[in-house]
Amino acid sequence: MLKEKLEQITKPIVSDITNQQILYGMAVRIPALDLLKLFSDSEFEDFIEEWSSSYLAEKVNYKKVYKNRGAGDKGRDIIATLDDKEVLWDCYQCKHYENPLTPSVVWVEFGKLCYYTYRGDYTIPQKYIFATSRGLGSKLKDLIKKPEKLKGELIKLWDDKCRKQITDTEEVILEGEFKKYVQDFDFSIISFLEPLELIEQHRQTPYYITRFGGGFTKFRVDPEIPSIISNSEVTYIEKLLKAYNHDSNEVFDIDNLKSKYKKHLSRERIHYHKALSLAIFERDTLPEGMEAFEKLKTSVFYGIIDTVESDYSSAFTRIKETTKVARSLQLTGNALTSLVEDDDKHGICHHLANDNKIDWVDIDE
């Protein structure tokens, strides 16, 4: 008989813990392809709306992209038009099922395509594309790759799969001119996107990070500082000039600044545009409505306002003390936090001045 060996329980020692583990525990991030399969119906619908509104509508050469929300969609989920008259178009059928699509699930979709184009409810699309959460089964893929075989199977199974399923108001009988129409129909327009292709297209939208995580996939571009001051810079530049005048008791304009002010202005423009590049990065990378840069500005405002409102003998000193405080701020809880540098916080001070949230010269000074 084996003898028990008892050992007193001791506390485990954990070393080399990462910030990711602190935030998310020991869980391994689920790959996007697997996560797509786990989406609920509503999550998949949101995913498709993100993809179609940002990828199809902006990255592909479509004029307009529509989502069909009606119950009687006539076999069209996403309509992507190719011309101004909306005669030429592509159709995207977006399906979310627990298993890969099989022919039995989509025969009626092919029936709708034939029936409604025959009736003239809409023109024949240039492409008819399946976009699905779990892809297509091998049988359906094989049929789509062999359009004539697909046509033959559709005709053979019409009475069982389409005759009573296309509309709730009538039977669609495959006979006469309509049968000839189906026999002549070009089923080579039908294709499909693999789930991984769909994800890679979604990756090119601002919604990918919020949907799948994994951090920023784009690099932030260093700003180019325009030699000519733009109209959008006028307010904060005028406030800087006013501060220089207050400091020296002389009147300067942009063309006759003393050397120390000229150098300072040059540096402050660099900081302003550095912060502006962060706003542009958000615009190009994150979904609309997050307002991460605006929230950063608010955080900086509350971090510096006491310094701005403190008494200084010189407005120029106020600028330097305020931007010093801004650079030392610890900003957390923002979607852009991992990208924020000291120069950004410095530059945000001038964005706040540009927005007339702060002034360097007190009216009583």
Side-chain angles (χ1 to χ4, degrees):
M1 180 182 292
L2 295 175
K3 186 177 180 180
E4 290 181 318
K5 183 179 181 181
L6 302 181
E7 182 178 330
Q8 186 174 355
I9 294 176
T10 59
K11 293 181 180 179
I13 296 175
V14 179
S15 60
D16 298 324
I17 190 167
T18 66
N19 187 57
Q20 173 117 352
Q21 289 169 327
I22 292 172
L23 292 173
Y24 305 111
M26 301 298 291
V28 176
R29 188 171 67 86
I30 301 174
L33 188 60
D34 293 332
L35 189 58
L36 180 62
K37 297 175 183 178
L38 299 176
F39 284 170
S40 65
D41 289 343
S42 62
E43 287 171 334
F44 184 71
E45 185 175 348
D46 290 342
F47 167 80
I48 289 297
E49 192 155 342
E50 294 163 359
W51 163 74
S52 58
S53 66
S54 194
Y55 179 78
L56 294 184
E58 296 178 3
K59 305 289 186 181
V60 185
N61 190 30
Y62 289 124
K63 297 294 184 180
K64 291 184 180 178
V65 177
Y66 300 98
K67 181 175 182 179
N68 199 333
R69 295 186 180 275
D73 62 13
K74 298 181 180 179
R76 303 191 299 171
D77 290 334
I78 302 291
I79 298 116
T81 65
L82 291 156
D83 65 329
D84 292 328
K85 294 183 179 180
E86 301 187 352
V87 175
L88 302 177
W89 63 290
D90 289 342
C91 178
Y92 289 86
Q93 287 294 81
C94 306
K95 302 297 182 185
H96 179 245
Y97 290 103
E98 293 185 359
N99 297 295
L101 282 187
T102 61
S104 62
V105 174
V106 296
W107 285 126
V108 68
E109 302 299 335
F110 297 146
K112 289 179 181 179
L113 175 63
C114 293
Y115 176 66
Y116 288 114
T117 55
Y118 172 75
R119 285 202 333 182
D121 290 47
Y122 50 80
T123 59
I124 297 174
Q126 303 295 294
K127 297 177 183 177
Y128 184 97
I129 305 163
F130 286 105
T132 67
S133 57
R134 289 181 175 265
L136 278 59
S138 57
K139 289 185 179 180
L140 182 55
K141 284 183 181 179
D142 289 343
L143 282 172
I144 289 175
K145 292 174 182 177
K146 300 174 182 177
E148 289 301 313
K149 183 178 180 181
L150 187 155
K151 180 191 300 182
E153 290 294 307
L154 176 63
I155 292 171
K156 184 170 67 175
L157 297 170
W158 186 273
D159 285 348
D160 182 39
K161 301 295 184 181
C162 300
R163 180 169 176 163
K164 297 180 180 180
Q165 289 82 3
I166 291 177
T167 78
D168 296 329
T169 58
E170 64 177 312
E171 292 186 16
V172 180
I173 302 171
L174 189 64
E175 62 181 8
E177 290 186 4
F178 178 55
K179 183 173 183 179
K180 185 176 186 309
Y181 179 82
V182 175
Q183 289 172 333
D184 293 338
F185 197 91
D186 181 9
F187 286 93
S188 68
I189 65 172
I190 297 171
S191 62
F192 56 90
L193 288 171
E194 293 285 7
L196 189 57
E197 290 181 276
L198 190 56
I199 288 170
E200 288 305 313
Q201 291 177 3
H202 187 275
R203 189 190 296 274
Q204 298 179 51
T205 77
Y207 299 98
Y208 183 85
I209 294 173
T210 56
R211 180 64 55 185
F212 294 105
F216 292 112
T217 58
K218 294 181 179 179
F219 292 104
R220 179 181 170 191
V221 178
D222 289 333
E224 292 185 9
I225 314 304
S227 57
I228 299 175
I229 294 173
S230 66
N231 290 335
S232 61
E233 294 183 80
V234 168
T235 301
Y236 88 88
I237 293 291
E238 287 181 345
K239 290 183 178 183
L240 284 171
L241 292 176
K242 191 174 180 181
Y244 301 153
N245 293 336
H246 181 269
D247 181 62
S248 65
N249 291 318
E250 298 180 53
V251 177
F252 297 115
D253 61 31
I254 200 71
D255 296 318
N256 67 344
L257 285 174
K258 285 184 177 179
S259 178
K260 72 171 183 177
Y261 300 132
K262 188 173 183 179
K263 290 178 181 178
H264 182 266
L265 178 62
S266 178
R267 293 195 300 271
E268 300 315 286
R269 290 193 68 222
I270 291 172
H271 299 320
Y272 173 86
H273 283 280
K274 182 67 182 293
L276 181 61
S277 75
L278 191 60
I280 293 170
F281 181 85
E282 179 194 0
R283 181 199 66 191
D284 295 341
T285 309
L286 294 175
E288 292 182 19
M290 291 194 69
E291 298 185 344
F293 185 70
E294 288 300 314
K295 291 174 182 176
L296 275 179
K297 285 162 65 176
T298 299
S299 296
V300 172
F301 173 81
Y302 285 114
I304 66 172
I305 191 60
D306 286 341
T307 305
V308 173
E309 293 180 347
S310 295
D311 293 330
Y312 294 98
S313 59
S314 161
F316 189 38
T317 302
R318 177 178 285 116
I319 294 172
K320 291 187 286 186
E321 290 301 314
T322 299
T323 53
K324 184 191 302 182
V325 169
R327 297 179 76 91
S328 68
L329 293 175
Q330 298 298 311
L331 303 177
T332 59
N334 189 286
L336 297 171
T337 297
S338 63
L339 300 175
V340 176
E341 300 174 2
D342 290 347
D343 286 348
D344 297 311
K345 293 178 282 187
H346 188 137
I348 284 174
C349 295
H350 297 303
H351 282 262
L352 292 169
N354 223 32
D355 296 340
N356 286 314
K357 297 291 181 64
I358 62 174
D359 290 290
W360 303 123
V361 178
D362 191 284
I363 58 174
D364 296 327
E365 295 175 338

